[in-house]
């Protein structure tokens, strides 16, 4: 068959460890034989980030703003152990955090539901989409260790030079730590609008939760902005399509989520969304079965898998062992980006290919062919556990039939 042509490149962000290996397998087996793939390539592997003083991450985000759609492989956010392992110049920040700050987007994460994979919470019969604010909070924090006898204060100087100071803590009794967080009204409003627009697009109720009873200024500001935006621009539109916006405290939201059937969007602040998306993904079956898309207020999209670089499997791979690493979320990152590129460029063939690849992936699992993480929780009889490359070849066999 003639290869499907693209007119505008995707921004392609390569990554680290086992997901970097899988990234190439997906391209070689499932994409390049069928698509005249056009990408603007950026190597976000930790080695290259270190070589470029992490400038490559910023360049990839700026390219995403230029082209409108990106697809990203999982990357390492280094800790002290990684500093030694990779001989790093410094402990580089999270690439995802850097990209999110530049694009000022909201991350929407939803489970991929496949026949034969039963959620750990059996009442969850429909997907729960986590909407994670992708700016500020702990991911753009300032931290200090504090010696005993110190006095920590929070000081703000306004545009006229006037100062407002509040005591954080008097460390006369002990050494300690302090952390400074910030967010912006503009970003919070963009977060709210992205969430409400996504709810309208998908015809789903949306919940938002914070801890405004304790954080009476910081978290309460989120609550107030959401309420103002909803009342002004979305209340009537929600009513017209029969969906609702619901606010509650984060601890109450957790209790309600566990008792629910799913089928809604749960909007969370940055850290809450980071934690809860992993909880939701695991409860639905596997961290490798979670889609993730960063959407900016001005309509820029970056697709990725919601999981990490699968370090343990990578070390086995380096020893020459075959691994049964689940590539589904990474496949869906590619299909999401290709579909969006097709929509923006009016290329129905590209959109159709993305649909068929996703269906072939789910059909492979429902046929009983799967990676080890899924086989461990699947209720299917006569299931077969295969290594990653075999799993991709099985998907390809079903994809060929559909094409």
């Amino acid at each position: 068959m003639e290869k499907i042509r693209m007119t505008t490149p995707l921004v392609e962000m390569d990554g680290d460890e086992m997901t970097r290996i899988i990234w190439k397998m997906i391209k070689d087996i499932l994409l390049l034989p069928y698509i005249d793939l056009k990408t603007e390539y950026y190597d976000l592997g930790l080695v290259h980030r270190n070589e470029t003083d992490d400038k490559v991450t910023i360049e990839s985000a700026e390219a995403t703003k230029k082209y409108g759609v990106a697809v990203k492989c999982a990357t390492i956010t280094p800790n002290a152990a990684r500093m030694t392992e990779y001989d790093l110049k410094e402990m580089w920040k999270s690439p995802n955090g850097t990209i999110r700050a530049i694009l000022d987007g909201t991350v929407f994460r939803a489970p991929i539901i496949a026949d034969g994979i039963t959620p750990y919470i059996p009442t969850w019969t429909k997907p729960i989409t986590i909407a994670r604010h992708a700016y500020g909070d702990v991911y753009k924090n300032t931290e200090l260790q504090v010696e005993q006898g110190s006095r920590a204060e929070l000081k703000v100087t306004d545009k006229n030079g006037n100062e407002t100071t509040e005591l954080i803590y008097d460390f006369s009794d002990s050494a300690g730590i302090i952390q400074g967080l910030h967010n912006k009204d503009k970003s919070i409003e963009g977060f709210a609008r992205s969430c409400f627009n996504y709810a309208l697009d998908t015809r789903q109720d949306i919940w938002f939760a914070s801890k405004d009873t304790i954080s009476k200024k910081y978290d309460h500001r989120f609550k107030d902005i959401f309420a103002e935006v909803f009342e002004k621009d979305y209340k009537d539109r929600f009513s017209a399509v029969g969906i609702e916006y619901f606010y509650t405290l984060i601890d109450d939201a957790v209790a309600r989520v566990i008792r629910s059937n799913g089928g809604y969007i749960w909007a969370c602040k940055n850290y809450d969304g980071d934690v809860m998306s992993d909880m939701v993904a695991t409860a639905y079956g596997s961290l490798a079965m979670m889609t993730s898309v960063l959407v900016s207020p001005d309509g820029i999209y970056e697709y990725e898998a919601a999981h990490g670089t699968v370090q343990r499997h990578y070390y086995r791979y380096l020893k020459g062992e075959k691994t049964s690493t689940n590539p589904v979320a990474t496949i869906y990152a590619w299909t999401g980006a290709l579909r969006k590129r097709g929509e923006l460029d009016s290329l129905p063939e590209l959109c159709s290919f993305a649909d068929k690849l996703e269906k072939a992936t789910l059909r492979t699992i429902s046929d009983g062919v799967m990676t080890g993480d899924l086989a461990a929780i699947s209720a299917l009889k006569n299931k077969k556990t295969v290594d990653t490359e075999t799993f991709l070849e099985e998907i390809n066999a079903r994809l060929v039939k559909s094409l």
Side-chain angles (χ1 to χ4, degrees), residues 121-192:
I121 301 176
T123 57
W124 286 4
T125 56
K126 293 175 284 188
I128 296 171
T129 300
I130 298 289
R132 174 186 171 188
H133 189 208
Y135 178 83
D137 298 344
V138 71
Y139 300 87
K140 296 286 287 183
N141 69 351
T142 301
E143 301 177 320
L144 287 173
Q145 288 186 311
V146 182
E147 295 182 359
Q148 184 174 352
S150 300
R151 178 183 174 90
E153 296 177 328
L154 183 66
K155 183 176 76 173
V156 175
T157 305
D158 70 18
K159 61 184 178 181
N160 297 316
N162 301 312
E163 296 181 353
T164 302
T165 303
E166 294 284 350
L167 175 67
I168 297 174
Y169 191 75
D170 187 334
F171 288 89
S172 58
D173 61 334
S174 171
I177 48 177
I178 60 172
Q179 182 180 80
L181 308 183
H182 81 278
N183 223 295
K184 301 187 297 185
D185 284 1
K186 180 181 178 181
S187 182
I188 299 169
E189 181 177 342
F191 173 41

Side-chain angles (χ1 to χ4, degrees), residues 349-363:
E349 299 88 353
L350 197 58
C351 298
S352 177
F353 175 84
D355 293 341
K356 289 176 180 178
L357 178 51
E358 289 180 0
K359 289 177 182 177
T361 302
L362 295 179
R363 192 176 306 117

Side-chain angles (χ1 to χ4, degrees), residues 100 105-109 130-134 292-295 304:
R100 289 166 189 159
T106 296
V107 178
F108 294 93
R109 290 180 172 172
I130 298 289
R132 174 186 171 188
H133 189 208
S292 180
V293 55
L294 176 71
V295 183
E304 61 180 325

